[in-house]
Amino acid sequence: MYKKVLIICRSVHHNNTLSIAKAIGEELNAEIIKPSEFNNKTISDYDLIGFGSGIYNGKHHQSILNLIDELKAQNHKHTFIFSTSTIPVEAMHKNLKKSLIAKEFQIVGEYYCKGFMNYSFTKHLGGFNKGRPNDKDLEKARDFAKKLMNNNM
Ligand SMILES: Cc1cc2nc3c(=O)[nH]c(=O)nc-3n(C[C@H](O)[C@H](O)[C@H](O)COP(=O)(O)O)c2cc1C
């Protein structure tokens, strides 16, 4: 059972990832903040930390990656990763995972799903993944959070 959970989320395009953060956060009773609101000194207060954002040019938002670069080694602190993207595949998590492993986090789960995108030329096509994340994506996110909690009982 995790006692205190922090979710650090950056959601810049359509708040797609923020909706996932809120669904996961509700289940875990987590505090949700932006990278700019993070206080390095309080990290030891949390026994689980989630990092999430949209995927921009194949990776998580640079502010998330920068934040992790600034941290000291975390001695196996539990963490989870999430994202929304046009093409939701595990490979999009590669950079973030590499950064977390370098700081000795223990990754206990990953969640990703489709997110609406109408950036650049796709705007003229009406965008991709209309309506995503949808109710089903949010339900799956909540199930993901429940599993995280149960696996740590
Ligand atoms: C500048 C930009 C770059 C993007 N690059 C990718 C990408 O490389 N791969 C992908 O699958 N989706 C990409 N997307 C789509 C976003 O990942 C998707 O819309 C996501 O749901 C946005 O999340 P947000 O609303 O939380 O910011 C990109 C979107 C933008 C605006």
Side-chain angles (χ1 to χ4, degrees), residues 11-17 55-58 84-87 115-116:
S11 185
V12 299
H13 192 30
H14 289 291
N15 280 337
N16 294 334
T17 321
I55 296 296
Y56 317 100
N57 303 320
T84 63
S85 56
T86 312
I87 305 162
F116 177 59

Side-chain angles (χ1 to χ4, degrees), residues 127-138:
F128 296 134
N129 300 342
K130 214 163 189 167
R132 307 293 293 270
N134 58 19
D135 288 349
K136 214 168 192 175
D137 297 318
L138 297 178

